[in-house]
Amino acid sequence: MSSQRSTSSNKITDDKLNALILRLQTLLPQLDQSRHGRVSAAKVLNEICSYIRRLQNEVDGLSGRLSQCLDSMDLTGFDAEIVRDLLQQ
Amino acid sequence: MDSQHLNPSTLKSRFTARFLRALIKINAQKPISSSSPREIFQRYRRIKVAADKSMAYSVRSRRTWSRATLWKLQSRSRRRLASSGRRSSIKTRTTTTTTTTTTSTNHRAAIVEKTSHEKENKEDHVGLAVQAEELRELVPGGESMDLCNLLDETAHYIKCLTTQVQVMKKIANLYSLE
C-alpha cells in the first residue's frame, strides 16, 4: 500500500488529504459531523463548491443592495460608534 | 471579552475599515442624476470590486488566492487605463478566459497522470481530482495549485468569504433602516 512507488514529486499522502477534507467538512454547516459522521471526500468537495457559489452570489446580491441604498447613505456621519456597532458579534 | 473593544488587527476589522473607505469614495463619485439604471449598475460593479479588493488586501497577500485576486484586479484596471473603449476591454476579458482554460486543461492532464500511478484507494482519489476541477474554477488562482494547496486555500477563502458576507450584510441592513 505504498505511495512510494509514485514518481510524482508531490508526496500527497492519503492521511494529509483526509485531514484537509475533514477540515473542509467542518466549515460546512449542513454536513455537521455530529449528525453525518464521515462523509465521502467527493461529497464534501461537491458541497464546498455549492457553498462557495452561494457565498459569491450573496456578495453579488449585497453589492446590488448597497448600490441601491448608497443614495440615502449618510456616509459622512461615519464614526467609531458605527464601526464598533458593525463589528459587534 | 469586552464586545466594545475594537481589535484593529482582526481580518474582520481590516476588511470593514477598507470597505467603508471604498464605499465613501464611491458615494462621492456619483453624479447629480444618480438613479438611472445604468448609474446603479456601474455603482453595483464598483461596490463588488471594492468588496473583493478590500478582502484581498486585508489578507495582505499571504495567500495564493488573495494574490491572484489582486493581480486580476490590477491587470484589469491597467488594461482599462491603456484602452479607451469598452469594446477593447471586452476583447481583453475574452483573451484572459482563453488563457485560463488552456492552463487548466494542461493541469487536468497532469493530475490524471499523477493519480493513475497510485492504484489503491483509487475511487476516492480519482473522484477527488474530478471534483477538484470544479473547485479550481471557483477559488482565485486555483488552476495553478496542487491538490493539497487547493484544499488549504479553499478553507481560508471560505472563511474570508463568510466574513465578507457578514460585514456587507450588516452595512446593508444598517442603511436600509434609515
Side-chain angles (χ1 to χ4, degrees):
Chain A
M1 149 144 117
S2 64
S3 14
Q4 276 104 34
R5 237 185 300 138
S6 162
T7 54
S8 68
S9 48
N10 284 343
K11 297 201 186 94
I12 304 176
T13 65
D14 282 348
D15 281 344
K16 193 173 181 194
L17 273 180
N18 285 336
L20 288 168
I21 298 281
L22 213 60
R23 174 157 69 127
L24 287 176
Q25 191 181 340
T26 62
L27 291 176
L28 293 168
Q30 65 268 33
L31 284 185
D32 176 20
Q33 275 184 297
S34 58
R35 293 195 1 220
H36 289 83
R38 273 301 301 276
V39 174
S40 84
K43 172 138 202 219
V44 172
L45 285 191
N46 208 0
E47 295 288 324
I48 286 281
C49 288
S50 314
Y51 191 43
I52 291 182
R53 261 188 237 110
R54 190 156 29 104
L55 289 172
Q56 287 173 340
N57 284 336
E58 269 200 86
V59 169
D60 236 28
L62 286 167
S63 301
R65 265 181 76 187
L66 287 173
S67 68
Q68 302 275 0
C69 60
L70 204 66
D71 262 347
S72 55
M73 270 195 218
D74 178 21
L75 286 169
T76 53
F78 256 142
D79 60 355
E81 282 283 340
I82 298 180
V83 180
R84 215 175 290 134
D85 179 60
L86 257 177
L87 294 179
Q88 268 176 8
Q89 286 290 2
Chain B
M1 184 174 178
D2 183 14
S3 57
Q4 298 275 44
H5 174 64
L6 254 189
N7 185 356
S9 64
T10 63
L11 178 72
K12 197 174 178 190
S13 323
R14 293 200 301 270
F15 169 71
T16 305
R18 277 210 170 83
F19 185 52
L20 286 177
R21 276 204 298 272
L23 282 181
I24 291 173
K25 224 192 276 183
I26 294 174
N27 202 24
Q29 279 171 1
K30 62 178 180 177
I32 315 287
S33 57
S34 58
S35 29
S36 72
R38 187 158 175 261
E39 283 301 325
I40 294 187
F41 181 74
Q42 299 259 29
R43 230 180 296 152
Y44 144 74
R45 289 224 352 232
R46 275 193 215 119
I47 292 176
K48 178 157 195 308
V49 166
D52 291 339
K53 203 183 213 177
S54 301
M55 184 47 85
Y57 268 118
S58 301
V59 175
R60 290 175 183 159
S61 57
R62 265 181 283 141
R63 284 278 167 176
T64 312
W65 75 260
S66 62
R67 288 195 294 270
T69 302
L70 291 176
W71 189 87
K72 233 181 276 183
L73 289 173
Q74 281 160 4
S75 51
R76 193 199 298 174
S77 69
R78 248 182 273 132
R79 278 198 300 273
R80 271 225 190 98
L81 283 174
S83 69
S84 36
R86 198 188 294 156
R87 208 183 292 162
S88 338
S89 46
I90 290 179
K91 223 188 281 177
T92 44
R93 216 182 299 146
T94 326
T95 325
T96 319
T97 323
T98 326
T99 325
T100 319
T101 323
T102 325
T103 324
S104 48
T105 321
N106 291 339
H107 201 85
R108 202 179 296 142
I111 289 183
V112 172
E113 216 185 89
K114 202 188 287 178
T115 54
S116 67
H117 276 301
E118 302 136 304
K119 276 311 179 178
E120 302 90 66
N121 288 349
K122 277 338 107 196
E123 193 121 303
D124 242 16
H125 255 271
V126 175
L128 271 189
V130 169
Q131 292 295 136
E133 282 318 295
E134 213 186 334
L135 195 54
R136 282 177 199 286
E137 290 170 30
L138 290 171
V139 176
E143 51 277 339
S144 53
M145 296 176 201
D146 65 51
L147 190 56
C148 274
N149 282 331
L150 178 66
L151 298 179
D152 189 43
E153 294 278 324
T154 302
H156 189 264
Y157 181 55
I158 287 184
K159 180 181 97 162
C160 294
L161 269 183
T162 51
T163 303
Q164 191 176 337
V165 166
Q166 193 183 17
V167 173
M168 288 176 82
K169 210 179 274 188
K170 276 202 166 163
I171 297 179
N173 287 337
L174 211 67
Y175 286 94
S176 309
L177 295 173
E178 288 199 353

PDB file of all heavy atoms in Angstrom, chain A residues 58 61-70 72-73 78 86, chain B residues 19-20 23 164-178:
ATOM      1  N   GLU A  58     -24.150  35.682  -2.818  1.00  0.00           N
ATOM      2  CA  GLU A  58     -24.573  36.589  -1.747  1.00  0.00           C
ATOM      3  C   GLU A  58     -23.830  37.908  -1.836  1.00  0.00           C
ATOM      4  O   GLU A  58     -24.420  38.973  -1.668  1.00  0.00           O
ATOM      5  CB  GLU A  58     -24.316  35.940  -0.388  1.00  0.00           C
ATOM      6  CG  GLU A  58     -25.489  35.137   0.124  1.00  0.00           C
ATOM      7  CD  GLU A  58     -25.418  34.931   1.631  1.00  0.00           C
ATOM      8  OE1 GLU A  58     -25.886  35.815   2.371  1.00  0.00           O
ATOM      9  OE2 GLU A  58     -24.883  33.888   2.039  1.00  0.00           O
ATOM     10  N   GLY A  61     -25.421  39.862  -4.592  1.00  0.00           N
ATOM     11  CA  GLY A  61     -26.708  40.427  -4.186  1.00  0.00           C
ATOM     12  C   GLY A  61     -26.541  41.596  -3.231  1.00  0.00           C
ATOM     13  O   GLY A  61     -27.214  42.619  -3.341  1.00  0.00           O
ATOM     14  N   LEU A  62     -25.625  41.449  -2.283  1.00  0.00           N
ATOM     15  CA  LEU A  62     -25.411  42.521  -1.310  1.00  0.00           C
ATOM     16  C   LEU A  62     -24.812  43.748  -1.987  1.00  0.00           C
ATOM     17  O   LEU A  62     -25.139  44.884  -1.629  1.00  0.00           O
ATOM     18  CB  LEU A  62     -24.500  42.033  -0.182  1.00  0.00           C
ATOM     19  CG  LEU A  62     -25.191  41.078   0.792  1.00  0.00           C
ATOM     20  CD1 LEU A  62     -24.185  40.389   1.683  1.00  0.00           C
ATOM     21  CD2 LEU A  62     -26.195  41.833   1.649  1.00  0.00           C
ATOM     22  N   SER A  63     -23.943  43.537  -2.970  1.00  0.00           N
ATOM     23  CA  SER A  63     -23.407  44.679  -3.716  1.00  0.00           C
ATOM     24  C   SER A  63     -24.534  45.413  -4.410  1.00  0.00           C
ATOM     25  O   SER A  63     -24.552  46.648  -4.458  1.00  0.00           O
ATOM     26  CB  SER A  63     -22.386  44.207  -4.757  1.00  0.00           C
ATOM     27  OG  SER A  63     -21.334  43.517  -4.148  1.00  0.00           O
ATOM     28  N   GLY A  64     -25.489  44.647  -4.947  1.00  0.00           N
ATOM     29  CA  GLY A  64     -26.649  45.258  -5.592  1.00  0.00           C
ATOM     30  C   GLY A  64     -27.450  46.084  -4.607  1.00  0.00           C
ATOM     31  O   GLY A  64     -27.822  47.226  -4.878  1.00  0.00           O
ATOM     32  N   ARG A  65     -27.722  45.486  -3.440  1.00  0.00           N
ATOM     33  CA  ARG A  65     -28.471  46.198  -2.409  1.00  0.00           C
ATOM     34  C   ARG A  65     -27.771  47.487  -2.020  1.00  0.00           C
ATOM     35  O   ARG A  65     -28.385  48.545  -1.906  1.00  0.00           O
ATOM     36  CB  ARG A  65     -28.604  45.314  -1.166  1.00  0.00           C
ATOM     37  CG  ARG A  65     -29.892  44.532  -1.106  1.00  0.00           C
ATOM     38  CD  ARG A  65     -29.965  43.706   0.147  1.00  0.00           C
ATOM     39  NE  ARG A  65     -30.282  44.515   1.312  1.00  0.00           N
ATOM     40  CZ  ARG A  65     -30.268  44.046   2.557  1.00  0.00           C
ATOM     41  NH1 ARG A  65     -29.935  42.801   2.782  1.00  0.00           N
ATOM     42  NH2 ARG A  65     -30.558  44.829   3.571  1.00  0.00           N
ATOM     43  N   LEU A  66     -26.471  47.407  -1.822  1.00  0.00           N
ATOM     44  CA  LEU A  66     -25.722  48.585  -1.410  1.00  0.00           C
ATOM     45  C   LEU A  66     -25.741  49.660  -2.496  1.00  0.00           C
ATOM     46  O   LEU A  66     -25.786  50.844  -2.202  1.00  0.00           O
ATOM     47  CB  LEU A  66     -24.274  48.206  -1.065  1.00  0.00           C
ATOM     48  CG  LEU A  66     -24.106  47.456   0.249  1.00  0.00           C
ATOM     49  CD1 LEU A  66     -22.675  46.986   0.429  1.00  0.00           C
ATOM     50  CD2 LEU A  66     -24.487  48.340   1.420  1.00  0.00           C
ATOM     51  N   SER A  67     -25.717  49.225  -3.774  1.00  0.00           N
ATOM     52  CA  SER A  67     -25.727  50.214  -4.841  1.00  0.00           C
ATOM     53  C   SER A  67     -27.057  50.960  -4.864  1.00  0.00           C
ATOM     54  O   SER A  67     -27.125  52.115  -5.250  1.00  0.00           O
ATOM     55  CB  SER A  67     -25.463  49.567  -6.192  1.00  0.00           C
ATOM     56  OG  SER A  67     -26.544  48.747  -6.555  1.00  0.00           O
ATOM     57  N   GLN A  68     -28.124  50.267  -4.442  1.00  0.00           N
ATOM     58  CA  GLN A  68     -29.425  50.920  -4.405  1.00  0.00           C
ATOM     59  C   GLN A  68     -29.493  51.948  -3.290  1.00  0.00           C
ATOM     60  O   GLN A  68     -29.982  53.053  -3.467  1.00  0.00           O
ATOM     61  CB  GLN A  68     -30.527  49.871  -4.164  1.00  0.00           C
ATOM     62  CG  GLN A  68     -30.594  48.762  -5.174  1.00  0.00           C
ATOM     63  CD  GLN A  68     -31.415  49.138  -6.381  1.00  0.00           C
ATOM     64  OE1 GLN A  68     -31.927  50.245  -6.451  1.00  0.00           O
ATOM     65  NE2 GLN A  68     -31.534  48.243  -7.329  1.00  0.00           N
ATOM     66  N   CYS A  69     -29.015  51.555  -2.103  1.00  0.00           N
ATOM     67  CA  CYS A  69     -29.217  52.457  -0.975  1.00  0.00           C
ATOM     68  C   CYS A  69     -28.020  53.369  -0.733  1.00  0.00           C
ATOM     69  O   CYS A  69     -27.979  54.096   0.247  1.00  0.00           O
ATOM     70  CB  CYS A  69     -29.575  51.692   0.294  1.00  0.00           C
ATOM     71  SG  CYS A  69     -28.346  50.523   0.819  1.00  0.00           S
ATOM     72  N   LEU A  70     -27.039  53.347  -1.625  1.00  0.00           N
ATOM     73  CA  LEU A  70     -25.899  54.254  -1.485  1.00  0.00           C
ATOM     74  C   LEU A  70     -26.368  55.699  -1.579  1.00  0.00           C
ATOM     75  O   LEU A  70     -25.766  56.593  -1.001  1.00  0.00           O
ATOM     76  CB  LEU A  70     -24.858  53.970  -2.579  1.00  0.00           C
ATOM     77  CG  LEU A  70     -23.423  54.397  -2.257  1.00  0.00           C
ATOM     78  CD1 LEU A  70     -22.893  53.577  -1.119  1.00  0.00           C
ATOM     79  CD2 LEU A  70     -22.545  54.234  -3.465  1.00  0.00           C
ATOM     80  N   SER A  72     -29.046  57.003  -0.261  1.00  0.00           N
ATOM     81  CA  SER A  72     -29.524  57.552   1.002  1.00  0.00           C
ATOM     82  C   SER A  72     -28.505  57.425   2.120  1.00  0.00           C
ATOM     83  O   SER A  72     -28.725  57.873   3.226  1.00  0.00           O
ATOM     84  CB  SER A  72     -30.812  56.832   1.412  1.00  0.00           C
ATOM     85  OG  SER A  72     -30.550  55.445   1.447  1.00  0.00           O
ATOM     86  N   MET A  73     -27.382  56.807   1.816  1.00  0.00           N
ATOM     87  CA  MET A  73     -26.392  56.616   2.873  1.00  0.00           C
ATOM     88  C   MET A  73     -25.747  57.922   3.283  1.00  0.00           C
ATOM     89  O   MET A  73     -25.154  58.616   2.456  1.00  0.00           O
ATOM     90  CB  MET A  73     -25.291  55.681   2.374  1.00  0.00           C
ATOM     91  CG  MET A  73     -25.560  54.232   2.646  1.00  0.00           C
ATOM     92  SD  MET A  73     -24.035  53.331   2.421  1.00  0.00           S
ATOM     93  CE  MET A  73     -24.653  51.877   1.664  1.00  0.00           C
ATOM     94  N   PHE A  78     -20.036  58.817   9.434  1.00  0.00           N
ATOM     95  CA  PHE A  78     -19.377  57.632   9.952  1.00  0.00           C
ATOM     96  C   PHE A  78     -18.405  57.968  11.073  1.00  0.00           C
ATOM     97  O   PHE A  78     -17.599  58.853  10.956  1.00  0.00           O
ATOM     98  CB  PHE A  78     -18.592  56.951   8.835  1.00  0.00           C
ATOM     99  CG  PHE A  78     -19.293  55.733   8.345  1.00  0.00           C
ATOM    100  CD1 PHE A  78     -19.278  55.412   7.007  1.00  0.00           C
ATOM    101  CD2 PHE A  78     -19.967  54.910   9.216  1.00  0.00           C
ATOM    102  CE1 PHE A  78     -19.942  54.296   6.551  1.00  0.00           C
ATOM    103  CE2 PHE A  78     -20.632  53.789   8.772  1.00  0.00           C
ATOM    104  CZ  PHE A  78     -20.615  53.482   7.435  1.00  0.00           C
ATOM    105  N   LEU A  86     -20.985  47.855  14.093  1.00  0.00           N
ATOM    106  CA  LEU A  86     -20.865  46.933  12.978  1.00  0.00           C
ATOM    107  C   LEU A  86     -20.109  45.675  13.371  1.00  0.00           C
ATOM    108  O   LEU A  86     -20.438  44.576  12.955  1.00  0.00           O
ATOM    109  CB  LEU A  86     -20.088  47.604  11.846  1.00  0.00           C
ATOM    110  CG  LEU A  86     -20.873  48.114  10.650  1.00  0.00           C
ATOM    111  CD1 LEU A  86     -19.932  48.796   9.697  1.00  0.00           C
ATOM    112  CD2 LEU A  86     -21.547  46.963   9.959  1.00  0.00           C
TER     113      LEU A  86
ATOM    114  N   PHE B  19     -13.369  48.532   3.381  1.00  0.00           N
ATOM    115  CA  PHE B  19     -14.576  48.527   2.564  1.00  0.00           C
ATOM    116  C   PHE B  19     -15.370  49.809   2.767  1.00  0.00           C
ATOM    117  O   PHE B  19     -15.876  50.404   1.814  1.00  0.00           O
ATOM    118  CB  PHE B  19     -15.424  47.291   2.896  1.00  0.00           C
ATOM    119  CG  PHE B  19     -16.630  47.129   2.022  1.00  0.00           C
ATOM    120  CD1 PHE B  19     -16.524  47.159   0.639  1.00  0.00           C
ATOM    121  CD2 PHE B  19     -17.890  46.950   2.579  1.00  0.00           C
ATOM    122  CE1 PHE B  19     -17.631  47.003  -0.173  1.00  0.00           C
ATOM    123  CE2 PHE B  19     -19.007  46.779   1.778  1.00  0.00           C
ATOM    124  CZ  PHE B  19     -18.874  46.815   0.398  1.00  0.00           C
ATOM    125  N   LEU B  20     -15.461  50.268   4.025  1.00  0.00           N
ATOM    126  CA  LEU B  20     -16.183  51.509   4.295  1.00  0.00           C
ATOM    127  C   LEU B  20     -15.521  52.681   3.588  1.00  0.00           C
ATOM    128  O   LEU B  20     -16.185  53.537   2.994  1.00  0.00           O
ATOM    129  CB  LEU B  20     -16.257  51.764   5.803  1.00  0.00           C
ATOM    130  CG  LEU B  20     -17.237  50.868   6.568  1.00  0.00           C
ATOM    131  CD1 LEU B  20     -17.161  51.160   8.057  1.00  0.00           C
ATOM    132  CD2 LEU B  20     -18.654  51.079   6.077  1.00  0.00           C
ATOM    133  N   LEU B  23     -16.490  52.574   0.051  1.00  0.00           N
ATOM    134  CA  LEU B  23     -17.876  52.981  -0.160  1.00  0.00           C
ATOM    135  C   LEU B  23     -18.000  54.503  -0.139  1.00  0.00           C
ATOM    136  O   LEU B  23     -18.721  55.094  -0.944  1.00  0.00           O
ATOM    137  CB  LEU B  23     -18.780  52.386   0.925  1.00  0.00           C
ATOM    138  CG  LEU B  23     -19.164  50.925   0.758  1.00  0.00           C
ATOM    139  CD1 LEU B  23     -20.086  50.501   1.892  1.00  0.00           C
ATOM    140  CD2 LEU B  23     -19.866  50.689  -0.568  1.00  0.00           C
ATOM    141  N   GLN B 164     -16.774  38.449   4.720  1.00  0.00           N
ATOM    142  CA  GLN B 164     -17.164  39.486   3.778  1.00  0.00           C
ATOM    143  C   GLN B 164     -18.677  39.625   3.733  1.00  0.00           C
ATOM    144  O   GLN B 164     -19.220  40.723   3.822  1.00  0.00           O
ATOM    145  CB  GLN B 164     -16.605  39.109   2.398  1.00  0.00           C
ATOM    146  CG  GLN B 164     -16.702  40.200   1.366  1.00  0.00           C
ATOM    147  CD  GLN B 164     -16.022  39.764   0.065  1.00  0.00           C
ATOM    148  OE1 GLN B 164     -15.153  38.896   0.060  1.00  0.00           O
ATOM    149  NE2 GLN B 164     -16.413  40.362  -1.022  1.00  0.00           N
ATOM    150  N   VAL B 165     -19.364  38.477   3.605  1.00  0.00           N
ATOM    151  CA  VAL B 165     -20.822  38.490   3.536  1.00  0.00           C
ATOM    152  C   VAL B 165     -21.420  39.055   4.823  1.00  0.00           C
ATOM    153  O   VAL B 165     -22.338  39.874   4.800  1.00  0.00           O
ATOM    154  CB  VAL B 165     -21.363  37.060   3.276  1.00  0.00           C
ATOM    155  CG1 VAL B 165     -22.847  36.993   3.543  1.00  0.00           C
ATOM    156  CG2 VAL B 165     -21.075  36.636   1.855  1.00  0.00           C
ATOM    157  N   GLN B 166     -20.865  38.630   5.945  1.00  0.00           N
ATOM    158  CA  GLN B 166     -21.369  39.078   7.244  1.00  0.00           C
ATOM    159  C   GLN B 166     -21.320  40.601   7.373  1.00  0.00           C
ATOM    160  O   GLN B 166     -22.298  41.247   7.751  1.00  0.00           O
ATOM    161  CB  GLN B 166     -20.521  38.425   8.331  1.00  0.00           C
ATOM    162  CG  GLN B 166     -21.065  38.521   9.730  1.00  0.00           C
ATOM    163  CD  GLN B 166     -20.088  37.887  10.708  1.00  0.00           C
ATOM    164  OE1 GLN B 166     -18.927  37.668  10.404  1.00  0.00           O
ATOM    165  NE2 GLN B 166     -20.557  37.598  11.892  1.00  0.00           N
ATOM    166  N   VAL B 167     -20.157  41.180   7.023  1.00  0.00           N
ATOM    167  CA  VAL B 167     -19.992  42.623   7.173  1.00  0.00           C
ATOM    168  C   VAL B 167     -20.872  43.377   6.177  1.00  0.00           C
ATOM    169  O   VAL B 167     -21.542  44.354   6.524  1.00  0.00           O
ATOM    170  CB  VAL B 167     -18.514  43.026   7.001  1.00  0.00           C
ATOM    171  CG1 VAL B 167     -18.351  44.530   6.994  1.00  0.00           C
ATOM    172  CG2 VAL B 167     -17.682  42.406   8.107  1.00  0.00           C
ATOM    173  N   MET B 168     -20.890  42.902   4.924  1.00  0.00           N
ATOM    174  CA  MET B 168     -21.692  43.583   3.910  1.00  0.00           C
ATOM    175  C   MET B 168     -23.173  43.563   4.288  1.00  0.00           C
ATOM    176  O   MET B 168     -23.899  44.538   4.093  1.00  0.00           O
ATOM    177  CB  MET B 168     -21.490  42.919   2.545  1.00  0.00           C
ATOM    178  CG  MET B 168     -20.134  43.193   1.915  1.00  0.00           C
ATOM    179  SD  MET B 168     -19.897  42.307   0.368  1.00  0.00           S
ATOM    180  CE  MET B 168     -20.746  43.383  -0.766  1.00  0.00           C
ATOM    181  N   LYS B 169     -23.595  42.416   4.853  1.00  0.00           N
ATOM    182  CA  LYS B 169     -24.994  42.296   5.250  1.00  0.00           C
ATOM    183  C   LYS B 169     -25.316  43.318   6.341  1.00  0.00           C
ATOM    184  O   LYS B 169     -26.351  43.988   6.303  1.00  0.00           O
ATOM    185  CB  LYS B 169     -25.238  40.878   5.778  1.00  0.00           C
ATOM    186  CG  LYS B 169     -26.650  40.369   5.546  1.00  0.00           C
ATOM    187  CD  LYS B 169     -26.836  38.965   6.071  1.00  0.00           C
ATOM    188  CE  LYS B 169     -26.430  37.936   5.051  1.00  0.00           C
ATOM    189  NZ  LYS B 169     -26.783  36.559   5.458  1.00  0.00           N
ATOM    190  N   LYS B 170     -24.409  43.447   7.309  1.00  0.00           N
ATOM    191  CA  LYS B 170     -24.650  44.385   8.401  1.00  0.00           C
ATOM    192  C   LYS B 170     -24.727  45.813   7.889  1.00  0.00           C
ATOM    193  O   LYS B 170     -25.582  46.585   8.319  1.00  0.00           O
ATOM    194  CB  LYS B 170     -23.525  44.271   9.440  1.00  0.00           C
ATOM    195  CG  LYS B 170     -23.754  43.168  10.424  1.00  0.00           C
ATOM    196  CD  LYS B 170     -22.980  43.407  11.705  1.00  0.00           C
ATOM    197  CE  LYS B 170     -23.467  42.488  12.814  1.00  0.00           C
ATOM    198  NZ  LYS B 170     -22.495  42.412  13.905  1.00  0.00           N
ATOM    199  N   ILE B 171     -23.825  46.173   6.975  1.00  0.00           N
ATOM    200  CA  ILE B 171     -23.845  47.534   6.435  1.00  0.00           C
ATOM    201  C   ILE B 171     -25.147  47.773   5.679  1.00  0.00           C
ATOM    202  O   ILE B 171     -25.803  48.800   5.850  1.00  0.00           O
ATOM    203  CB  ILE B 171     -22.639  47.774   5.498  1.00  0.00           C
ATOM    204  CG1 ILE B 171     -21.334  47.659   6.261  1.00  0.00           C
ATOM    205  CG2 ILE B 171     -22.753  49.128   4.832  1.00  0.00           C
ATOM    206  CD1 ILE B 171     -20.107  47.860   5.408  1.00  0.00           C
ATOM    207  N   ALA B 172     -25.549  46.801   4.854  1.00  0.00           N
ATOM    208  CA  ALA B 172     -26.775  46.952   4.075  1.00  0.00           C
ATOM    209  C   ALA B 172     -27.978  47.097   4.999  1.00  0.00           C
ATOM    210  O   ALA B 172     -28.848  47.940   4.767  1.00  0.00           O
ATOM    211  CB  ALA B 172     -26.952  45.767   3.136  1.00  0.00           C
ATOM    212  N   ASN B 173     -28.023  46.276   6.059  1.00  0.00           N
ATOM    213  CA  ASN B 173     -29.141  46.372   6.992  1.00  0.00           C
ATOM    214  C   ASN B 173     -29.149  47.700   7.717  1.00  0.00           C
ATOM    215  O   ASN B 173     -30.188  48.317   7.924  1.00  0.00           O
ATOM    216  CB  ASN B 173     -29.075  45.240   8.014  1.00  0.00           C
ATOM    217  CG  ASN B 173     -29.444  43.905   7.402  1.00  0.00           C
ATOM    218  OD1 ASN B 173     -30.130  43.876   6.375  1.00  0.00           O
ATOM    219  ND2 ASN B 173     -28.998  42.817   7.988  1.00  0.00           N
ATOM    220  N   LEU B 174     -27.954  48.154   8.095  1.00  0.00           N
ATOM    221  CA  LEU B 174     -27.821  49.429   8.795  1.00  0.00           C
ATOM    222  C   LEU B 174     -28.414  50.561   7.979  1.00  0.00           C
ATOM    223  O   LEU B 174     -29.101  51.431   8.501  1.00  0.00           O
ATOM    224  CB  LEU B 174     -26.339  49.705   9.051  1.00  0.00           C
ATOM    225  CG  LEU B 174     -25.965  50.487  10.296  1.00  0.00           C
ATOM    226  CD1 LEU B 174     -26.279  49.663  11.508  1.00  0.00           C
ATOM    227  CD2 LEU B 174     -24.485  50.810  10.262  1.00  0.00           C
ATOM    228  N   TYR B 175     -28.164  50.541   6.672  1.00  0.00           N
ATOM    229  CA  TYR B 175     -28.606  51.645   5.833  1.00  0.00           C
ATOM    230  C   TYR B 175     -29.955  51.432   5.189  1.00  0.00           C
ATOM    231  O   TYR B 175     -30.502  52.340   4.588  1.00  0.00           O
ATOM    232  CB  TYR B 175     -27.536  51.999   4.801  1.00  0.00           C
ATOM    233  CG  TYR B 175     -26.418  52.722   5.469  1.00  0.00           C
ATOM    234  CD1 TYR B 175     -25.292  52.049   5.928  1.00  0.00           C
ATOM    235  CD2 TYR B 175     -26.524  54.080   5.739  1.00  0.00           C
ATOM    236  CE1 TYR B 175     -24.303  52.717   6.604  1.00  0.00           C
ATOM    237  CE2 TYR B 175     -25.526  54.753   6.408  1.00  0.00           C
ATOM    238  CZ  TYR B 175     -24.428  54.070   6.851  1.00  0.00           C
ATOM    239  OH  TYR B 175     -23.447  54.710   7.520  1.00  0.00           O
ATOM    240  N   SER B 176     -30.517  50.239   5.346  1.00  0.00           N
ATOM    241  CA  SER B 176     -31.879  50.048   4.850  1.00  0.00           C
ATOM    242  C   SER B 176     -32.871  50.603   5.854  1.00  0.00           C
ATOM    243  O   SER B 176     -33.999  50.918   5.516  1.00  0.00           O
ATOM    244  CB  SER B 176     -32.177  48.565   4.653  1.00  0.00           C
ATOM    245  OG  SER B 176     -31.191  47.979   3.897  1.00  0.00           O
ATOM    246  N   LEU B 177     -32.412  50.697   7.112  1.00  0.00           N
ATOM    247  CA  LEU B 177     -33.343  51.146   8.142  1.00  0.00           C
ATOM    248  C   LEU B 177     -33.497  52.647   8.162  1.00  0.00           C
ATOM    249  O   LEU B 177     -34.492  53.170   8.643  1.00  0.00           O
ATOM    250  CB  LEU B 177     -32.855  50.687   9.530  1.00  0.00           C
ATOM    251  CG  LEU B 177     -32.834  49.172   9.726  1.00  0.00           C
ATOM    252  CD1 LEU B 177     -32.192  48.830  11.056  1.00  0.00           C
ATOM    253  CD2 LEU B 177     -34.252  48.630   9.701  1.00  0.00           C
ATOM    254  N   GLU B 178     -32.514  53.345   7.599  1.00  0.00           N
ATOM    255  CA  GLU B 178     -32.565  54.814   7.685  1.00  0.00           C
ATOM    256  C   GLU B 178     -33.619  55.363   6.764  1.00  0.00           C
ATOM    257  O   GLU B 178     -33.691  54.980   5.620  1.00  0.00           O
ATOM    258  CB  GLU B 178     -31.198  55.373   7.329  1.00  0.00           C
ATOM    259  CG  GLU B 178     -30.208  55.104   8.434  1.00  0.00           C
ATOM    260  CD  GLU B 178     -29.002  56.019   8.337  1.00  0.00           C
ATOM    261  OE1 GLU B 178     -28.902  56.753   7.328  1.00  0.00           O
ATOM    262  OE2 GLU B 178     -28.200  56.011   9.257  1.00  0.00           O
TER     263      GLU B 178
END
